[in-house]
Amino acid sequence: MLGETSCPMKEDFIMADPQHACSNCSISMVSGNRWVCNQCENFQICDRCYEVELKREERERHPIDQRQSHTLYPIEINDVPVDTKDIDDILESEFFNTRTFHNPTAPAFVTTCNICDLDIETGQGWRCEVCPKYDVCKSCYQKDGGIDHPHKLTNHPSMADCDAENKESRQLRELKLRKMLDLLVHVPRCCSAHCQYPDCRKIKELFRHGMQCKTRAAGGCVRCRKMWYLLQLHAHACKESRCRVPRCRDLKEHSRGSQQQSDSRRRAAITGMMRQ
């Protein structure tokens, strides 16, 4: 359905072919080698990060969540064109005619009234609940006793309503995240098969999956990535020296070591600047 709708408009889209990005520093790799893991499908690093990887201790190297070692092998980057000049014809697109570059808070695309063909300001239009893309402005809606349309029309939400909805959804996400972090502390102490916490069983299953998963977070497992995200958030805020949350102490030590390395590089850079 989506393909049939977008096919007639394919000339209006901008196509991009991004280069490979380093899994550590997220910088596009356009020259040299990209170092690929022989087991993790989505892990690849640049030459600079590979040199850093070699200097790390064995337990801090990729993958940090497994005891077995993975081999990184180089792939030469030679598919980046030297000449990047765009020789394609410039295509006019109706979608960009409605962009408002002078106001970054304004909507990138505006809705047009189906009757008078004028742009409808945010919160000043009416939309059909049944017919797709049937919108009318406030003036046409109130003209001559209303619109002669067979279906019900509802008012567009205003910017204030959208902001309030986004704020409410953000607060709900933060509340849910706090509950998950509280469960991380609760689960290692919980021995009940019928725990009063409704999500306690889910966290236990997540831990059990992390112990048995062969793909792991570095290989692209979504559940493992979710678990490591929660563990990293907990370790960042945890102040207990004998925390029972799995891998909390390891993550603290890794974070502390990374911070010390960052401080050393910063001091070395400042010293070099002072000597110049």
Side-chain angles (χ1 to χ4, degrees):
M1 183 66 180
L2 180 60
E4 296 176 357
T5 305
S6 60
C7 185
M9 302 185 298
K10 62 181 180 179
E11 297 297 336
D12 297 319
F13 291 97
I14 298 177
M15 302 300 297
D17 185 16
Q19 300 298 325
H20 296 281
C22 176
S23 299
N24 286 350
C25 64
S26 301
I27 297 177
S28 297
M29 297 177 284
V30 296
S31 61
N33 298 317
R34 59 186 182 96
W35 296 83
V36 181
C37 180
N38 66 334
Q39 297 187 41
C40 303
E41 181 179 356
N42 298 323
F43 185 84
Q44 54 186 2
I45 57 177
C46 60
D47 287 331
R48 186 172 60 178
C49 290
Y50 178 73
E51 294 178 0
V52 176
E53 188 80 9
L54 294 178
K55 298 177 182 179
R56 290 177 175 172
E57 298 181 8
E58 189 67 27
R59 62 185 181 86
E60 294 182 351
R61 294 183 182 179
H62 170 79
I64 61 174
D65 58 338
Q66 290 186 2
R67 295 183 178 179
Q68 59 180 347
S69 61
H70 293 187
T71 303
L72 299 178
Y73 61 92
I75 297 180
E76 184 180 0
I77 301 175
N78 53 14
D79 57 347
V80 180
V82 178
D83 185 9
T84 58
K85 183 179 180 180
D86 188 4
I87 60 176
D88 296 333
D89 297 332
I90 298 178
L91 302 177
E92 297 293 337
S93 173
E94 60 176 318
F95 293 99
F96 292 99
N97 294 334
T98 58
R99 282 189 174 271
T100 53
F101 293 98
H102 64 283
N103 185 4
T105 61
F109 301 99
V110 295
T111 308
T112 304
C113 178
N114 287 62
I115 297 178
C116 64
D117 293 328
L118 296 178
D119 292 341
I120 301 176
E121 297 182 6
T122 305
Q124 300 297 318
W126 296 78
R127 176 169 298 165
C128 179
E129 296 182 350
V130 179
C131 303
K133 296 183 179 180
Y134 185 87
D135 300 88
V136 294
C137 62
K138 185 177 181 180
S139 300
C140 294
Y141 181 80
Q142 297 176 345
K143 188 183 299 182
D144 299 332
I147 299 297
D148 185 14
H149 189 72
H151 305 135
K152 181 181 178 180
L153 302 178
T154 56
N155 185 241
H156 288 188
S158 63
M159 289 294 292
D161 295 335
C162 293
D163 292 341
E165 183 177 354
N166 293 336
K167 183 178 180 180
E168 182 179 359
S169 61
R170 183 172 61 252
Q171 291 175 345
L172 289 176
R173 287 196 302 269
E174 293 176 353
L175 179 61
K176 184 177 180 181
L177 182 59
R178 284 197 297 269
K179 290 182 178 179
M180 297 294 285
L181 293 177
D182 292 340
L183 278 173
L184 283 182
V185 181
H186 163 78
V187 166
R189 300 181 174 89
C190 181
C191 301
S192 174
H194 305 283
C195 181
Q196 60 179 348
Y197 287 97
D199 293 329
C200 178
R201 184 177 178 181
K202 294 181 180 179
I203 298 297
K204 290 180 180 178
E205 292 177 353
L206 195 63
F207 283 161
R208 193 177 301 111
H209 166 83
M211 296 173 61
Q212 301 173 355
C213 182
K214 303 300 182 181
T215 305
R216 300 287 183 173
C221 177
V222 177
R223 297 187 68 185
C224 288
R225 286 185 175 181
K226 179 180 180 180
M227 180 183 68
W228 274 99
Y229 173 70
L230 293 174
L231 291 176
Q232 289 171 350
L233 286 180
H234 166 80
H236 181 73
C238 181
K239 305 298 181 182
E240 295 186 18
S241 58
R242 297 183 179 181
C243 181
R244 299 178 61 180
V245 175
R247 306 305 296 270
C248 179
R249 184 180 301 177
D250 297 338
L251 289 172
K252 287 178 183 177
E253 293 179 358
H254 181 268
S255 177
R256 192 179 301 112
S258 300
Q259 184 63 38
Q260 291 175 354
Q261 293 179 3
S262 178
D263 294 341
S264 299
R265 289 193 297 266
R266 189 181 301 109
R267 285 193 295 267
I270 295 176
T271 303
M273 293 175 59
M274 295 294 292
R275 291 176 177 176
Q276 293 179 356

